[in-house]
Amino acid sequence: METTKDTLTVTDNRTAKSYEIPIVHNSVKATEFKRISSGLKIMDPGFQNTAVAESEITYIDGIKGTIQYRDYPMDELIEKHDFEDVSFLLIWNHLPSQQEKLNYRRSLAARANPPQAVIDTVKCFPRDTPYHLIFTAGLSAWAATDPTTVPIYTGQEIYLGKMDAVDEGVKRTIAASMTVIALIFCHYRGVPFTAPDPTASMAENILLMMGVVDLKTSRPDPTMLRILNRLWIVYADHEMTNSTAASLHVGSGLADPMTCVSAAACALSGPLHGGAIDLAYKMFERIGCKENVGQAIEEVKQGKFRLFGYGHRIYKTVDPRVKHLKRSLAELSHNVEADPHVSVAMEIERLASQDEYFRSRNLNVNADLYGCFVFSAMGFKPEIITALLLAARINGILAHWREQMSKPANLWRPLQVFTRAKL
């Protein structure tokens, strides 16, 4: 059969029939395979090589080890912009003017005062409760204070294609999420919540609400503020992650944005995703001191325990976010020296980078290994670190949700392969 250049020719050897499938953006539509022998399915557990959406938001080159947000390299954004710029860029597809930035700042602060029902919900949990359980409850309580933002309450679809409502939902959800995280932090520590400042940046406001301020100035420490901005840019988005996919799966049913973000938070809490930061820290505590690292490395190679912070499904080189985390650690060196586990992390990287087991498998250090220590050097305990990461990632998640709401509805409903005998 004749073929065109941008096609894939598939021959079913069971029937000797050939099929021509178009290639677009170096991908083929899975539905094209339905034409083959009564509906051939694509089996891909865990989405190892399946694209579920087209997006213009983030691109990762796992071979080169680069990340770009929209049309900008992440490295350039870290050097020249703060997190508010990046949040605006991800969501609205351009860097904000100074006036747009100030308006965005004020609009978030105006929506960040928590209803009493949310405060009461957060406080009702034991103080050792994992953050994502409190977060999802707090965000649900916030949504309940205005049920007209929930489609099933209104009895109609209120977001799909209605970009003014979508943009309001994005701002409300970012403000509510950051505030709930601040409330959780205050609840853990037993300290009062501080109202947001309408003139403060996003990073400054979450520190203000958490009460993480210099006692002399009652404002966040400039170094901490600069590093939090950098951290949040690093973690703002990471393409189609497990948590982003979870939010879009829920969003495909046309749920409200707070429900979508709650789904993402639950996914992020897992130890193979954002929860790896918590587990990396616990792993270093288990190892104890750098003298024990050699034995720990051998146990990893023997399959006795998992080395969190090494390896990544996308990157085949060093995680490009790591250099920014190392830089932040260097700026916090006076705090890092007080953390006995940093030497363990450094020794793990040194030994693993020289070990053929890791080198042959392209197992390189990723952001989880260092991210926990940057937050720790800033004075945060492990139980709140993933929540602070989530505060950044919500902006990317909502950028994807906004993009989803601008396109025709398409309910995500994966297929399965039934493996028992059919009746």
Side-chain angles (χ1 to χ4, degrees), residues 22 57 84-85 105 218 239 247 279 315 323 408-409:
I57 297 170
E84 275 171 329
D85 294 328
R105 178 177 295 181
S218 297
E239 207 188 71
S247 71
L279 295 186
Y315 298 114
K323 62 187 174 187

Side-chain angles (χ1 to χ4, degrees), residues 156-227:
Q156 60 183 331
E157 166 44 37
I158 57 178
Y159 295 108
L160 187 68
K162 303 175 178 69
M163 301 315 291
D164 287 344
V166 167
D167 289 346
E168 172 58 30
V170 165
K171 293 173 187 176
R172 184 170 184 257
T173 303
I174 290 174
S177 298
M178 292 179 62
T179 305
V180 170
I181 289 169
L183 285 168
I184 293 169
F185 181 81
C186 292
H187 180 54
Y188 281 163
R189 297 176 66 209
V191 299
F193 172 84
T194 303
D197 179 350
T199 67
S201 69
M202 294 171 72
E204 188 174 13
N205 251 334
I206 197 169
L207 294 175
L208 283 171
M209 290 189 291
M210 295 165 77
V212 181
V213 296
D214 186 314
L215 295 179
K216 295 179 181 178
T217 65
S218 297
R219 305 298 292 188
D221 175 77
T223 299
M224 178 177 282
L225 192 57
R226 182 176 65 253
I227 290 175

Side-chain angles (χ1 to χ4, degrees), residues 75-345:
D75 293 350
E76 178 184 330
L77 292 169
I78 287 175
E79 294 302 322
K80 298 181 180 180
H81 297 276
D82 62 19
F83 181 72
E84 275 171 329
D85 294 328
V86 173
S87 172
F88 197 97
L89 170 68
L90 289 170
I91 296 166
W92 287 287
N93 197 21
H94 68 275
L95 288 169
S97 66
Q98 187 60 28
Q99 190 58 52
E100 284 177 319
K101 186 173 180 176
L102 291 175
N103 290 343
Y104 186 40
R105 178 177 295 181
R106 293 190 190 104
S107 69
L108 292 178
R111 293 164 172 80
N113 289 292
Q116 188 61 46
V118 176
I119 298 172
D120 294 342
T121 297
V122 170
K123 287 184 175 181
C124 79
F125 283 86
R127 286 182 176 159
D128 60 351
T129 302
Y131 91 90
H132 72 284
L133 301 177
I134 310 178
F135 177 82
T136 53
L139 207 58
S140 295
W142 201 305
T145 63
D146 185 4
T148 62
T149 62
V150 181
I152 60 170
Y153 179 87
T154 64
Q156 60 183 331
E157 166 44 37
I158 57 178
Y159 295 108
L160 187 68
K162 303 175 178 69
M163 301 315 291
D164 287 344
V166 167
D167 289 346
E168 172 58 30
V170 165
K171 293 173 187 176
R172 184 170 184 257
T173 303
I174 290 174
S177 298
M178 292 179 62
T179 305
V180 170
I181 289 169
L183 285 168
I184 293 169
F185 181 81
C186 292
H187 180 54
Y188 281 163
R189 297 176 66 209
V191 299
F193 172 84
T194 303
D197 179 350
T199 67
S201 69
M202 294 171 72
E204 188 174 13
N205 251 334
I206 197 169
L207 294 175
L208 283 171
M209 290 189 291
M210 295 165 77
V212 181
V213 296
D214 186 314
L215 295 179
K216 295 179 181 178
T217 65
S218 297
R219 305 298 292 188
D221 175 77
T223 299
M224 178 177 282
L225 192 57
R226 182 176 65 253
I227 290 175
L228 182 58
N229 265 290
R230 185 185 303 150
L231 280 170
W232 274 4
I233 294 173
V234 164
Y235 288 120
D237 194 47
H238 209 234
E239 207 188 71
M240 192 58 65
T241 65
N242 178 269
S243 51
T244 302
S247 71
L248 292 177
H249 203 128
V250 174
S252 75
L254 305 184
D256 65 278
M258 289 196 186
T259 297
C260 294
V261 165
S262 293
C266 292
L268 190 70
S269 69
L272 295 185
H273 196 8
I277 289 181
D278 303 70
L279 295 186
Y281 203 95
K282 289 179 171 59
M283 177 188 69
F284 299 135
E285 291 180 331
R286 169 186 169 180
I287 293 173
C289 61
K290 71 176 185 178
E291 287 75 20
N292 296 335
V293 169
Q295 179 60 36
I297 290 290
E298 290 304 313
E299 291 181 7
V300 170
K301 290 157 64 175
Q302 295 166 17
K304 292 184 178 179
F305 79 95
R306 184 185 182 91
L307 183 61
F308 288 95
Y310 254 80
H312 197 283
R313 181 179 289 191
I314 301 297
Y315 298 114
K316 303 306 177 186
T317 184
V318 175
D319 188 327
R321 300 170 294 175
V322 166
K323 62 187 174 187
H324 299 293
L325 298 174
K326 285 186 175 181
R327 174 182 167 191
S328 297
L329 273 179
E331 293 182 31
L332 292 165
S333 58
H334 58 291
N335 293 353
V336 168
E337 292 172 0
D339 192 327
H341 304 303
V342 171
S343 60
V344 173

Side-chain angles (χ1 to χ4, degrees), residues 235 276-278 280-282 284 325 329 339 345 367-378 380 382 385:
Y235 288 120
I277 289 181
D278 303 70
Y281 203 95
K282 289 179 171 59
F284 299 135
L325 298 174
L329 273 179
D339 192 327
D368 297 328
L369 186 65
Y370 280 95
C372 59
F373 287 114
V374 180
F375 282 113
S376 178
M378 292 169 70
F380 295 110
I385 288 174

